[in-house]
Amino acid sequence: MTPPFRAEHVGSLLRPRELHEARARARVGAMTTAGLREVEDRCIRQAVAKQESLGLRVVTDGELRRDFWHLDFVRQLEGVALAPVTGMVFQAEDVPPMPTVTSRLLCAGPIMVDHFTHLKSIARATPKLTIPAPAMLHLRGGRRAISRQAYPDLAEFWADAAAAYRTAIGHIASAGCTYLQLDDVSFAYLCDPKVREGLRAAGDDPTTLPSTYAEAINGALAGRPAGLTVAMHTCRGNFRSTWLASSPYEDAVLEAMFSTDVAAYFMEWDSDRAGGLGPLRLLPRDKTVVLGLVTTKSGALESKDTLARRIDEATRYVPLDRLCLSPQCGFASTHHGNTLTEDEQWRKLERVVEVAHLVWGVK
């Protein structure tokens, strides 16, 4: 099998205590950069070994070198700065900053290629790298977060964003990556009336943004190597077990999302906030959906029977051979992590593998 696999996971993992402590020491100058790197390497080796021991055919580095799932990537693009968040706010304290575009965008050198090469060097299973989608340069702050001096016309901004991403993805592919995941909360957010109203108040048109974001992804992926499988993950927010958006998938938004040139969609269906599985009827026949039925927001373990029944429900809309299973999001989209234990995290991933074997006979 090529990716995605029947038993999948989104990517991020809870940071071990050792890593939390090392990063705290490094922040105050009590540990060198090299020393922190050694701790990161060791924790990543342990995380990869654990994923493989559970029977997963795909592994990530858990995003253990990152503080935030998106900011650590986008801030390395020329022209991007970080600012206090405005507008969309999680129901939690210590909210991450948001990217702002202060000058023309450019990818001046490899971004996170070293993360991938280390993962590839220690993995026996297929290594997957996760990066934020281009929409994350715009969604949180909207037009107000993009310099009008640098970009009086937003069409130029999106052209530069796509070009910068093409360069970054080219570096990643050249390092031997065959499985890349674009993390994109924008499509699920745009189904929420509150989010749309916030964007409208900021001067953006939420009715046109789904197609704008989809076009940016397609521009970013143009010319990618044939051997690179790209998937997209979308969710309603995942910060310390809280969320931002709360609304079922809407047809108009999904039609734009499903027009993107990716092989598979990781979609969130772990709570009533996501609505029913009916929107799967819109899935193009050449695409796969990874059903995010296992929640990462709590340690409560889903039963095998319940998960199997929900997969069976999904087959009303999509054939079983175009479905896979995963948690609905990562376990630690930020360094804080969600409110569950590492043991609960691993048990949930083990449950995904067990159900994949039960339903498909494979992992």
Side-chain angles (χ1 to χ4, degrees):
M1 257 186 92
T2 56
F5 301 99
R6 299 303 182 197
E8 276 278 354
H9 70 107
V10 169
S12 65
L13 298 169
L14 294 170
R15 279 41 165 186
R17 179 183 295 275
E18 178 188 14
L19 183 54
H20 277 298
E21 293 174 350
R23 189 152 289 144
R25 293 180 62 203
R27 277 197 296 269
V28 297
M31 175 177 280
T32 65
T33 300
L36 175 59
R37 186 79 178 197
E38 289 180 8
V39 175
E40 291 173 342
D41 287 351
R42 179 164 59 254
C43 290
I44 289 169
R45 285 195 300 271
Q46 293 167 352
V48 168
K50 182 64 175 180
Q51 291 170 72
E52 292 176 340
S53 74
L54 296 178
L56 287 163
R57 298 179 62 183
V58 56
V59 296
T60 73
D61 66 0
E63 300 178 6
L64 299 190
R65 299 193 199 277
R66 308 185 204 184
D67 280 336
F68 302 100
W69 65 275
H70 57 321
L71 300 180
D72 292 68
F73 181 92
V74 297
R75 69 178 175 80
Q76 295 187 63
L77 295 170
E78 297 290 327
V80 176
L82 301 182
V85 69
T86 60
M88 302 177 198
V89 179
F90 280 88
Q91 301 304 308
E93 299 176 355
D94 190 22
V95 175
M98 69 179 188
T100 61
V101 177
T102 59
S103 60
R104 297 297 292 254
L105 291 171
L106 178 70
C107 177
I111 301 176
M112 294 188 174
V113 169
D114 58 333
H115 295 199
F116 175 76
T117 54
H118 179 261
L119 174 63
K120 184 173 182 287
S121 73
I122 60 176
R124 290 179 292 124
T126 299
K128 177 172 73 171
L129 182 67
T130 64
I131 64 172
M136 299 317 301
L137 293 166
H138 175 274
L139 179 67
R140 296 290 295 281
R143 183 65 176 97
R144 292 181 298 190
I146 299 168
S147 166
R148 290 184 180 274
Q149 182 177 1
Y151 290 110
D153 182 351
L154 273 183
E156 296 180 9
F157 159 74
W158 287 115
D160 282 358
Y165 263 78
R166 282 196 299 275
T167 300
I169 291 170
H171 291 150
I172 292 165
S174 294
C177 182
T178 60
Y179 192 10
L180 180 69
Q181 179 178 294
L182 297 178
D183 291 327
D184 192 329
V185 301
S186 67
F187 294 102
Y189 278 26
L190 288 169
C191 296
D192 188 319
K194 298 189 301 297
V195 170
R196 291 197 298 268
E197 182 55 37
L199 287 163
R200 196 175 288 111
D204 292 283
D205 183 356
T207 64
T208 64
L209 286 178
S211 59
T212 297
Y213 292 161
E215 289 167 5
I217 289 171
N218 288 338
L221 296 177
R224 71 185 187 273
L228 178 63
T229 297
V230 180
M232 178 197 296
H233 165 248
T234 187
C235 77
R236 292 162 179 79
N238 187 53
F239 175 56
R240 299 173 65 181
S241 289
T242 66
W243 58 87
L244 193 150
S246 182
S247 188
Y249 294 105
E250 293 192 357
D251 288 3
V253 175
L254 282 190
E255 286 169 358
M257 187 177 91
F258 287 155
S259 74
T260 53
D261 189 18
V262 303
Y265 300 92
F266 286 68
M267 298 178 68
E268 177 184 55
W269 269 296
D270 69 320
S271 73
D272 292 341
R273 292 181 298 105
L277 295 166
L280 285 172
R281 73 189 188 285
L282 300 174
L283 184 73
R285 293 184 178 181
D286 61 340
K287 309 283 189 177
T288 297
V289 160
V290 183
L291 299 167
L293 302 177
V294 174
T295 190
T296 65
K297 289 184 170 19
S298 79
L301 185 63
E302 293 80 357
S303 76
K304 288 186 278 190
D305 287 345
T306 297
L307 294 172
R309 282 197 301 271
R310 296 213 68 195
I311 295 169
D312 184 61
E313 181 185 349
T315 63
R316 300 177 192 173
Y317 311 102
V318 177
L320 186 61
D321 64 359
R322 290 197 287 123
L323 296 172
C324 304
L325 175 66
S326 80
Q328 106 288 351
C329 199
F331 292 91
S333 298
T334 74
H335 64 87
H336 314 80
N338 284 355
T339 55
L340 73 168
T341 68
E342 287 187 70
D343 284 344
E344 289 169 335
Q345 165 188 267
W346 297 124
R347 188 71 187 96
K348 281 176 175 279
L349 289 178
E350 184 178 36
R351 178 53 46 92
V352 169
V353 174
E354 291 170 346
V355 174
H357 182 71
L358 174 67
V359 173
W360 290 279
V362 296
K363 299 168 183 171

